[in-house]
């Protein structure tokens, strides 16, 4: 899941080398933290949150195979 988020996010940002993705696994929940550069946060979120919502939808579809709930958090630096 971490790799999937990283691939999607790197396609959206101007500074892919400053992008950090971390994964925190629980028993039935998986939290993925995305830390883009300050100037790339708007590109990750998109207009009216459409980019981040699309990423969350893809993650929820992919997480059904793992039978886990996936939460995508965008963290400001």
């Amino acid at each position: 899941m971490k790799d999937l988020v990283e691939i999607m996010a790197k396609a959206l940002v101007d500074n892919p080398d400053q992008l950090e993705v971390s994964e925190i696994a629980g028993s039935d929940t998986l939290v993925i933290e995305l830390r883009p550069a300050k100037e790339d946060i708007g590109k990750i979120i998109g207009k009216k949150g459409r980019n981040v919502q699309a990423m969350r939808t893809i993650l929820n579809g992919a997480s059904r195979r793992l039978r886990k709930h996936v939460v995508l958090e965008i963290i400001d630096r």
Side-chain angles (χ1 to χ4, degrees):
M1 289 296 193
K2 177 183 169 185
D3 296 334
L4 178 62
V5 171
E6 192 170 353
I7 289 169
M8 289 188 292
K10 282 187 177 183
L12 294 172
V13 298
D14 288 335
N15 303 313
D17 54 326
Q18 294 181 7
L19 186 71
E20 295 178 18
V21 181
S22 60
E23 187 175 72
I24 303 167
S27 60
D28 57 348
T29 303
L30 184 64
V31 178
I32 299 176
E33 295 179 341
L34 183 62
R35 288 183 190 87
K38 197 116 176 127
E39 58 271 5
D40 288 332
I41 290 177
K43 292 181 175 121
I44 293 289
I45 295 172
K47 285 187 179 180
K48 297 184 181 180
R50 288 186 181 148
N51 287 349
V52 74
Q53 189 61 42
M55 290 173 71
R56 287 181 175 139
T57 301
I58 291 169
L59 283 175
N60 284 331
S63 69
R64 297 206 187 260
R65 288 189 175 191
L66 298 176
R67 297 181 187 231
K68 287 192 172 191
H69 179 70
V70 176
V71 177
L72 177 63
E73 293 183 357
I74 300 171
I75 299 177
D76 190 16
R77 291 185 184 196

